[in-house]
Every structure is written in structure tokens, then in C-alpha cells.
């Protein structure tokens, strides 16, 4: 199958090419939007990522060029107009799961780095500053960790934190009995926020969870609590969190995702002026650690993403339907 891969980074090419001998891939670095649709000319499928914008006009243009399949190389599909795809006879496929370990382990890396101030220690030692003031941490052993969303990623995180000797509280629409048997206690969100030394978010972004950490939620937190979000940026009201950092209600913040990340993440902007004042304010706090949506970025996860993306293409060729379809 002829597939045009949009928003290609070197790592996308490496992992897709390693799996794709049976397909003809054309890689383009540019994202897919209304101005770049022509780059899909001659392709039967397009392969896209989280910030490609597949609205109705883009989908109509793709259909007119003969594109029959949209291969999302990610789990989320909020950037595709599914109704327009259905109307134009284009199938949509995604990668529903790759490595929950990748995201859970990055979450733990953020917790440890923030607690023991590793990012500050790294810079100090390189400058010959071996003073310890400002680097004081706490034992994770015996602390309470609150996990919001105990699906694939939250479950892995719960087991890791139990291994550290933490007390683990959880909140979800459904209880995971195996976690309860392992010692995790499900609590209402208010109780979890009030009792946890560390709160980590692992639920999807839905109308119900949008800004779940807002001014009211922040009020419930323990003074000095650590908040981690490796899920979706808009779970957190960034302005509420900035106010809580200023008042020291929040003692440490780790973000791998940010509400307005589409304008920032995945690009090298080091020669540019950052115009997002809210994001710029976050960068000024010594107790804030931000990574640019890299929690998924492991060898195993990228291998699984490439395999599943191409399995979707294989199945579409063989049966007319991708392995993991997304329906309107
Ligand atoms: P999952 O679907 O396995 O688990 C999500 C859990 O959240 C489910 O158990 C669900 O019942 C629960 N949930 C839904 N609504 C809730 C609510 N209102 N309150 C509490 N719990 C609720 O998903 P997953 O694979 O564990 O992924 C979790 C999230 O991680 C995804 O939604 C995605 O946004 C994010 N993610 C981030 C990265 C990254 O690189 N940073 C990578 C993959 C996934």
C-alpha cells in the first residue's frame, strides 16, 4: 500500500521503515492540514500524528485524491473529523495501546527527579557547586500516592509505587479488584486529593475530566503536595496551578503535557521567542519540571506503534477494514 507519512521525525522513519517492507512509505516532515493535503497525491493511505489537523475540508480533499485510509500512529483521535471520514468513505485506524510501562516509568522518573531535585543537582555539579542547600527531599517509603485513573498506565504506576513502600490511593469510575487485592484503596477524588503527598493523573481527557484540577481541587490538596500530569494537558487548569505554586500550596509540579502544547511541543524552538506567557511563567519556578510529551518515547513503545500502525494497513488491504478502527 502507498502511504504518505506526515509530521515525520527521524525516529518515526527509523521505526516505521524497520517494519514496513511490504508497504511503500513516503515520508514528509510537514504536518497535514488544509495547506499540505496535496502532498498525499498518489497515496492510498495517510499516516498522521497528534497535531495533524484532519478536519472536513482536509478529509474531502484526501478522498478526492483517492485516499481510503487514515492511520493514526497514536491512541487519541480528537484531531480527526470522524463524521467527515465516514461520509467520504475513508476508514480511520489508531493504536489503542502500546506500552503502559513507558508512561508509568516516566511518571516515576518525574516524581524522583522533583523529589530529589536531580535537575538542579545536575546543573550545580557541572558548575563545581557541591552545596546541598535546596536539594532536600523526602523518603517515598510510607508516603501516600493518589492515582486518578487506574487503567493500563495507572495500574502499572500503582504497582511501582507499592514497591517503593508507598500507601496507594486510587480514584476511577471502576475499581480494579486486582489492585485492591494488592493493597490499593479506592477513595472519592476529594479524599484522595486531601490525603495524598503525591497526586498523579492517568485518566483520559473528557468533558467530565476537563480542568479536574482547578481552584477548588487545589484547595483540597495537602500543603506542599506534588502534582504530576503525564496524561492530557487540559486535565489541569494551568492558571489555578500557577496560583497554587505561588502560594506554596503545591510543593512540586511535574508536567509531560500542557493545555496549549500543540503550539510548542515536538519542535526545536530554541531560537524563537516563546509567546505563551502562562507556559513561560511555569518555567520560572524552581520546583516545576516539564518534559515535552515524551512519556511514551521508548524503544518498545515506538516499535509497538509502528507494528500496530502497519498491521492496520495490512488488515485494511486484506479485508477492507483496519485491525483497530475508529468509528464516528
Ligand atoms: P486507559 O483507558 O487504560 O485508562 C484510563 C482510566 O481512566 C480508565 O480506568 C477509566 O475508567 C478512568 N477514568 C475515566 N474517566 C475518569 C474520571 N472521570 N475519573 C477517574 N477515572 C476516570 O488509558 P491509559 O492507557 O492508562 O492512558 C491514560 C491516559 O494517558 C490517556 O488518556 C492519555 O491521555 C495519556 N497518555 C499519555 C501519554 C504520554 O506520552 N504522555 C502516552 C499515552 C497515554
Amino acid at each position: 500500500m502507498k502511504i504518505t507519512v506526515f509530521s515525520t521525525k527521524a525516529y518515526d522513519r527509523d521505526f516505521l521503515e524497520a517494519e514496513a517492507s511490504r508497504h511503500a512509505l513516503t515520508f514528509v516532515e510537514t504536518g497535514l492540514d488544509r495547506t499540505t493535503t496535496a502532498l498525499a497525491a498518489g497515496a492510498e493511505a495517510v499516516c498522521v500524528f497528534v497535531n495533524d489537523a484532519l478536519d472536513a475540508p482536509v478529509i474531502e480533499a484526501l478522498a478526492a485524491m483517492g485516499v481510503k485510509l487514515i492511520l493514526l500512529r497514536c491512541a487519541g483521535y480528537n484531531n480527526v473529523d470522524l463524521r467527515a471520514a465516514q461520509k467520504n468513505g475513508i476508514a480511520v485506524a489508531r493504536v489503542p495501546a502500546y506500552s503502559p510501562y513507558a508512561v508509568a516509568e516516566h511518571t516515576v522518573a518525574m516524581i524522583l527527579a522533583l523529589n530529589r531535585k536531580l535537575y538542579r543537582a545536575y546543573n550545580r555539579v557541572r558548575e563545581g557547586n557541591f552545596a546541598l542547600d535546596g536539594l532536600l527531599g523526602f523518603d517515598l517509603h510510607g508516603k501516600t500516592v493518589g492515582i486518578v485513573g487506574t487503567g493500563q498506565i495507572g495500574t502499572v504506576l500503582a504497582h511501582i509505587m507499592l514497591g517503593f513502600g508507598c500507601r496507594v490511593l486510587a480514584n476511577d469510575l471502576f475499581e480494579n479488584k486486582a489492585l485492591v487485592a494488592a493493597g490499593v484503596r479506592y477513595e472519592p477524588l476529594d479524599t484522595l486529593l486531601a490525603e495524598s503527598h503525591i497526586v498523579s493523573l492517568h485518566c483520559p481527557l473528557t468533558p467530565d475530566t476537563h480542568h479536574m484540577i482547578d481552584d477548588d481541587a487545589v484547595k483540597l490538596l495537602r500543603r506542599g503536595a506534588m502534582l504530576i500530569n503525564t496524561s492530557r494537558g487540559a486535565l489541569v487548569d494551568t492558571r489555578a496551578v500557577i496560583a497554587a505554586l505561588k502560594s506554596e500550596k503545591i510543593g512540586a509540579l511535574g508536567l509531560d503535557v500542557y493545555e496549549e502544547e500543540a503550539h510548542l511541543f515536538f519542535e526545536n524552538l530554541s531560537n524563537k521567542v516563546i509567546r505563551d506567557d502562562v507556559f513561560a511563567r511555569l518555567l520560572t519556578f524552581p520546583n516545576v519540571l516539564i518534559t515535552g510529551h515524551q512519556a511514551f518515547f521508548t524503544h518498545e513503545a515506538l516499535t509497538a506503534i509502528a507494528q500496530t500502525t502497519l498491521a492496520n494497513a495490512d488488515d485494511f488491504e486484506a479485508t477492507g477494514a483496519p485491525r483497530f478502527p475508529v468509528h464516528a
Side-chain angles (χ1 to χ4, degrees), residues 221-298:
L221 288 171
R222 263 177 190 266
R223 186 153 195 84
M226 180 189 293
L227 175 67
I228 307 284
N229 185 10
T230 59
S231 195
R232 281 291 177 270
L235 294 179
V236 171
D237 177 351
T238 314
R239 287 169 198 277
V241 162
I242 286 175
L245 285 161
K246 285 162 80 175
S247 68
E248 299 181 26
K249 184 73 190 272
I250 289 182
L253 175 69
L255 298 180
D256 185 54
V257 287
Y258 169 61
E259 303 188 70
E260 304 297 333
E261 70 178 50
H263 307 293
L264 295 169
F265 288 1
F266 305 120
E267 300 301 331
N268 178 1
L269 303 180
S270 55
N271 286 325
K272 300 251 162 67
V273 171
I274 290 186
R275 296 204 168 82
D276 181 332
D277 290 346
V278 175
F279 188 78
R281 181 68 177 104
L282 279 176
L283 296 177
T284 66
F285 293 98
N287 50 353
V288 172
L289 175 61
I290 303 177
T291 52
H293 208 139
Q294 73 170 83
F296 73 99
F297 198 58
T298 66

Side-chain angles (χ1 to χ4, degrees), residues 143-147 157 161 166-170 196-198 200:
K143 296 299 182 296
T144 301
V145 177
I147 300 177
L157 179 66
M161 299 322 290
C166 294
R167 174 176 170 251
V168 177
L169 303 182
S196 300
H197 297 90
I198 299 167
S200 193

Side-chain angles (χ1 to χ4, degrees), residues 28-52:
V28 292
E29 289 178 17
T30 186
L32 175 56
D33 61 23
R34 293 180 192 190
T35 64
T36 61
T37 330
L39 292 169
E44 298 154 271
V46 292
C47 178
V48 297
F49 197 48
V50 291
N51 291 330
D52 292 310

Side-chain angles (χ1 to χ4, degrees), residues 54-75:
L54 290 92
D55 58 10
V58 168
I59 286 172
E60 282 158 19
L62 291 174
M65 281 189 278
V67 170
K68 297 265 176 278
L69 174 65
I70 293 167
L71 295 163
L72 284 152
R73 52 182 192 278
C74 55

Side-chain angles (χ1 to χ4, degrees), residues 12 15-16 19 47-49 72-75 94-99 296-312:
D12 295 311
F15 281 86
L16 283 166
E19 305 289 336
C47 178
V48 297
F49 197 48
L72 284 152
R73 52 182 192 278
C74 55
R94 67 180 184 126
V95 182
Y98 31 100
S99 167
F296 73 99
F297 198 58
T298 66
H299 192 280
E300 290 75 6
L302 290 190
T303 302
I305 289 169
Q307 286 172 344
T308 306
T309 298
L310 295 165
N312 276 323

